[in-house]
Amino acid sequence: MRIIVCIKQVPDPQASSSGTKVDPEAMRVIVPQGTPPVMSPYDENALEAAIRIKDAHGARVTVISAGRNLAKPVLRKSLASGADELVLLEDAAFEKLDSYATAHLLVAAIREIGEYDLILCGRQAADTDAGQVGSGIAEILKIPCITAASKVELSDGKVLVERVVSDGFEVIEAPMPALVTASSEIGDLRYPKLKDLQAAQKMPITVRGAQALGIDAAGLKRVNLVRLAEPPRRKTECRIIGGETPEEAGANLALKVKEAKLL
Amino acid sequence: MAEYKGVMTYCEIAEGSLPSISREVAGFGRKLADDLGEELCAVLVGSDVGNLAQDAIGLGADTVYVVDDPLLKEYQTDAYLSVMEKVVRKMMPRILILGQTSVGRDLAPMLAFRLDTTATLDCVGLAIDPGTKLLLQTKPVFGGNAQATFTSDFCPQIVTVRDKLMPPPEPDASKQGEVITLDAGLDPAAIRASLLKRVTENEGGVRLEDASIIVSGGRGIGSAEGFDQLQELAALLKGAVGASRPACDNRWLAPNRQVGITGKIVNPDLYIAIALSGSIQHLSGCAQSKSIIAINKDPEAPIFNYADFGVVGDWKKVLPAFRDKLKELLPG
Ligand SMILES: Cc1cc2nc3c(=O)[nH]c(=O)nc-3n(C[C@H](O)[C@H](O)[C@H](O)COP(=O)(O)OP(=O)(O)OC[C@H]3O[C@@H](n4cnc5c(N)ncnc54)[C@H](O)[C@@H]3O)c2cc1C
Ligand SMILES: Nc1ncnc2c1ncn2[C@@H]1O[C@H](COP(=O)(O)O)[C@@H](O)[C@H]1O
């Protein structure tokens, strides 16, 4: 059993939830200073799903991450959590790729690895919010794709997936090799032990550049960013309703809500 | 690119009729087709769906393609993907629009890669560039902290649009259009993944998408029992209960109650946010509510920057008093 997990490094979406700015001239997003890089949250869920399968059935788990100036200690956390191998695709040309180019780049690395039964991605990366790369990889490799998984299991040599839909969930079965994109309902990535974190810092990793992969990633780009702007912001002046006690504040809030005819 | 022409909408069907997202998509499609001076067509895929063709015409379609097959009764990725691949290859629309629903999120990117073109999901703005005639595709990125506008030189230009951006067009029953039936011609070998079961999780009551009042809780609610109190308030106000992602991940509430960029987009008259911090990803789904009330023990919580009224305090103390006072004040 071979599992490949695609993990993107992003600026911590929690830390940058407020204070993120836009430079419209340079068409760049500027996250607050000191925002640490992390594994994109849904990719952590994907890794957790992979490690659970490894625990249950035994598997070799390979993590692939593409980008520029990757923070190796951050990505090595995947090894500490239970992945066996880390492949970094690192090149100046791998910055700011669109979904099309990224999918093709990751496929080039997956083809080098050669063997795989299951590929796991996050349902959507926290920076692009594109929600496409997983589906793209599956289509290029011509393997079935199941998106927004809340549970991933193996049964009789097939992958059995529960996926979140707007009014409930679906249970889908697919032959392998297959690709599954992970949603948060899978559960958080386990917290690695300190000794595993330390050991992971010393494990060998593979680093591949554009030339080694024989891919002109930037040349594969298909969409053009023509504008980047601040989102329209809801403008409000919040009126804080007080009281002697929290209970009184709650009652006062009811009075205000009624007075303002919100109900 | 010259041979690609017109705008195509994918008309999602729910319980035998066209849900509001399909009507909204029709509105976007009509506008773009008019701006281009080209035709609008709609695609209906399902089983026994031909009767909806006239509805699609009434919403603005000049032509409706109906793909009707018992095997298409329910959405299944591989089957729908192969049908849409066939329809698009044959009709060659310049633009294809779907809704940002469970179906659109799943289908649009795979279809784009299969056709070797591009897709932009979760668009909040669509317009035709008057100079290049390309589709300007605007979507939130970085959780909603920025909005990016993309163009693509590849056709069809595939997009999904977020719901509740525009009121759907008024149907015009007298509008004429052409209905063309296409054969699904499903190849069993194309169906790789199979749907074993669909489970509807509906606790009854008002649907989140339709509610005019939403009582939403976050991580600070702390338990499923805590949410019972929110349910009680929602029942009193004839509203629905929503939640932030951590509350759903903890299964205090079903996943389909999640509000936000990867959950549901809502725009009620009143959104009551209790013990949730107001992350950008959550606000992306509810900031368009007419009024927002926040109850949070942390005066610095970002939700207060979006709320009209707020109470700083422990919800366990504030909420019961709020509810009891409302009971007193509300008629009936
Ligand atoms: C790509 C991506 C997509 C995402 N999509 C979504 C999405 O669709 N929807 C979504 O919600 N999130 C989404 N998230 C997660 C999001 O970033 C936040 O982590 C999440 O919204 C935080 O939920 P919360 O406010 O409930 O929890 P927290 O941020 O932990 O906030 C809890 C709040 O409760 C308050 N509190 C605690 N106890 C009490 C008490 N007793 N009384 C009063 N107040 C109390 C605290 O002061 C705090 O403000 C997404 C993240 C990513 C990266
Ligand atoms: N640069 C990357 N390196 C590794 N995996 C990636 C990269 N970009 C995207 N992915 C994977 O594709 C998923 C969807 O990304 P996106 O389509 O950009 O939302 C992510 O959650 C990752 O699993």
Side-chain angles (χ1 to χ4, degrees):
Chain A
M1 182 76 195
R2 272 206 83 147
I3 306 178
I4 295 175
V5 188
C6 298
I7 298 188
K8 186 174 193 187
Q9 176 190 306
V10 297
D12 186 350
Q14 247 49 288
S16 59
S17 189
S18 47
T20 294
K21 301 239 157 20
V22 174
D23 176 351
E25 297 293 311
M27 295 203 285
R28 283 194 82 100
V29 170
I30 302 157
V31 298
Q33 232 186 2
T35 302
V38 296
M39 297 192 242
S40 190
Y42 291 115
D43 305 1
E44 289 207 352
N45 303 124
L47 179 58
E48 176 61 26
I51 299 169
R52 283 187 203 164
I53 293 173
K54 177 180 169 175
D55 287 346
H57 305 273
R60 180 167 176 79
V61 177
T62 303
V63 169
I64 307 180
S65 187
R68 176 187 193 175
N69 295 333
L70 294 170
K72 296 183 182 63
V74 171
L75 294 162
R76 278 179 185 274
K77 197 178 120 191
S78 65
L79 296 170
S81 304
D84 300 284
E85 192 181 12
L86 177 59
V87 179
L88 300 183
L89 314 179
E90 212 173 15
D91 202 296
F94 297 166
E95 200 187 19
K96 289 190 165 185
L97 297 179
D98 63 9
S99 309
Y100 187 86
T102 305
H104 280 275
L105 170 60
L106 292 170
V107 163
I110 290 167
R111 286 196 168 128
E112 269 199 350
I113 293 168
E115 256 180 87
Y116 52 87
D117 301 289
L118 191 59
I119 302 175
L120 287 158
C121 286
R123 62 181 285 183
Q124 141 174 353
D127 52 358
T128 60
D129 285 315
Q132 299 203 48
V133 167
S135 316
I137 294 172
E139 272 302 312
I140 300 165
L141 293 172
K142 297 192 166 56
I143 60 175
C145 176
I146 306 166
T147 58
S150 50
K151 200 174 189 181
V152 189
E153 284 174 348
L154 301 186
S155 130
D156 287 339
K158 289 186 174 174
V159 60
L160 192 66
V161 178
E162 282 182 19
R163 67 182 291 264
V164 188
V165 294
S166 63
D167 60 351
F169 66 95
E170 296 177 347
V171 184
I172 313 254
E173 184 187 72
M176 293 191 283
L179 186 143
V180 177
T181 75
S183 190
S184 56
E185 290 82 1
I186 282 178
D188 290 341
L189 178 61
R190 60 198 61 197
Y191 206 81
K193 295 194 190 74
L194 188 61
K195 80 167 181 13
D196 292 333
L197 270 171
Q198 284 162 346
Q201 298 307 326
K202 292 187 205 94
M203 279 168 74
I205 56 179
T206 308
V207 183
R208 312 279 284 148
Q211 217 168 17
L213 284 163
I215 187 167
D216 169 24
L220 281 167
K221 272 179 75 165
R222 288 203 154 190
V223 298
N224 319 304
L225 176 65
V226 295
R227 185 164 180 265
L228 194 73
E230 298 271 356
R233 275 255 306 175
R234 184 192 162 84
K235 283 201 187 64
T236 56
E237 191 76 47
C238 184
R239 292 180 55 191
I240 297 292
I241 312 298
E244 291 289 319
T245 61
E247 287 82 359
E248 200 182 300
N252 287 341
L253 178 64
L255 288 168
K256 270 284 177 270
V257 163
K258 170 90 181 175
E259 190 188 298
K261 299 200 167 57
L262 298 188
L263 290 170
Chain B
M1 186 152 161
E3 64 270 43
Y4 287 94
K5 223 171 166 311
V7 179
M8 178 182 273
T9 60
Y10 174 82
C11 264
E12 209 171 306
I13 299 160
E15 286 149 25
S17 64
L18 300 184
S20 59
I21 181 67
S22 296
R23 292 184 273 127
E24 290 160 27
V25 164
F28 275 100
R30 188 67 261 173
K31 166 97 181 39
L32 296 175
D34 290 344
D35 289 351
L36 284 163
E38 294 180 2
E39 293 226 316
L40 176 69
C41 65
V43 185
L44 286 167
V45 182
S47 171
D48 272 333
V49 295
N51 59 320
L52 297 174
Q54 190 52 48
D55 290 0
I57 291 168
L59 291 165
D62 302 303
T63 311
V64 180
Y65 299 107
V66 180
V67 188
D68 210 303
D69 192 307
L71 290 174
L72 297 169
K73 191 162 169 41
E74 282 187 287
Y75 175 76
Q76 293 210 51
T77 308
D78 287 336
Y80 274 58
L81 186 56
S82 95
V83 165
M84 283 307 291
E85 177 191 359
K86 216 173 282 176
V87 172
V88 171
R89 283 198 199 281
K90 194 159 168 175
M91 303 311 156
M92 309 231 304
R94 186 194 291 275
I95 292 169
L96 170 64
I97 315 174
L98 303 88
Q100 172 75 348
T101 60
S102 309
V103 170
R105 283 173 170 163
D106 190 59
L107 188 56
M110 274 186 253
L111 186 60
F113 275 90
R114 182 158 297 188
L115 296 164
D116 214 30
T117 179
T118 68
T120 302
L121 272 65
D122 198 21
C123 290
V124 295
L126 293 176
I128 301 293
D129 182 319
T132 59
K133 298 255 173 202
L134 289 178
L135 181 62
L136 298 166
Q137 315 167 12
T138 301
K139 72 158 287 159
V141 294
F142 282 81
N145 272 311
Q147 285 193 351
T149 302
F150 298 107
T151 61
S152 164
D153 301 324
F154 295 83
C155 279
Q157 303 161 81
I158 302 179
V159 290
T160 68
V161 288
R162 185 176 276 204
D163 59 347
K164 302 202 166 74
L165 293 171
M166 278 205 316
E170 286 299 322
D172 171 3
S174 67
K175 191 172 180 295
Q176 306 277 308
E178 195 181 355
V179 181
I180 296 171
T181 307
L182 299 174
D183 185 22
L186 283 173
D187 170 7
I191 319 283
R192 304 158 298 182
S194 43
L195 175 68
L196 301 187
K197 182 158 83 162
R198 288 199 96 244
V199 181
T200 310
E201 286 183 315
N202 231 329
E203 299 95 349
V206 188
R207 282 184 353 138
L208 203 50
E209 300 89 315
D210 306 333
S212 53
I213 297 177
I214 293 176
V215 182
S216 222
R219 199 198 306 269
I221 299 296
S223 66
E225 292 70 43
F227 267 92
D228 290 345
Q229 295 198 43
L230 274 64
Q231 297 274 13
E232 207 184 308
L233 177 61
L236 176 72
L237 301 176
K238 299 188 179 57
V241 176
S244 69
R245 201 179 75 185
C248 293
D249 287 349
N250 281 308
R251 271 292 180 168
W252 301 333
L253 220 59
N256 59 9
R257 293 274 154 184
Q258 180 181 318
V259 171
I261 195 166
T262 38
K264 288 190 170 145
I265 308 297
V266 298
N267 65 348
D269 294 332
L270 180 60
Y271 192 80
I272 306 177
I274 308 173
L276 59 81
S277 61
S279 68
I280 190 78
Q281 292 87 0
H282 185 81
L283 285 161
S284 270
C286 65
Q288 58 282 9
S289 307
K290 271 206 202 89
S291 305
I292 297 179
I293 295 177
I295 300 173
N296 196 304
K297 68 176 184 190
D298 172 11
E300 301 298 321
I303 188 69
F304 288 121
N305 299 330
Y306 292 80
D308 303 283
F309 293 102
V311 170
V312 179
D314 183 349
W315 72 271
K316 287 185 189 131
K317 301 209 172 98
V318 178
L319 183 64
F322 175 59
R323 181 198 57 218
D324 291 347
K325 193 70 185 176
L326 279 179
K327 253 190 214 156
E328 228 177 275
L329 294 171
L330 292 175

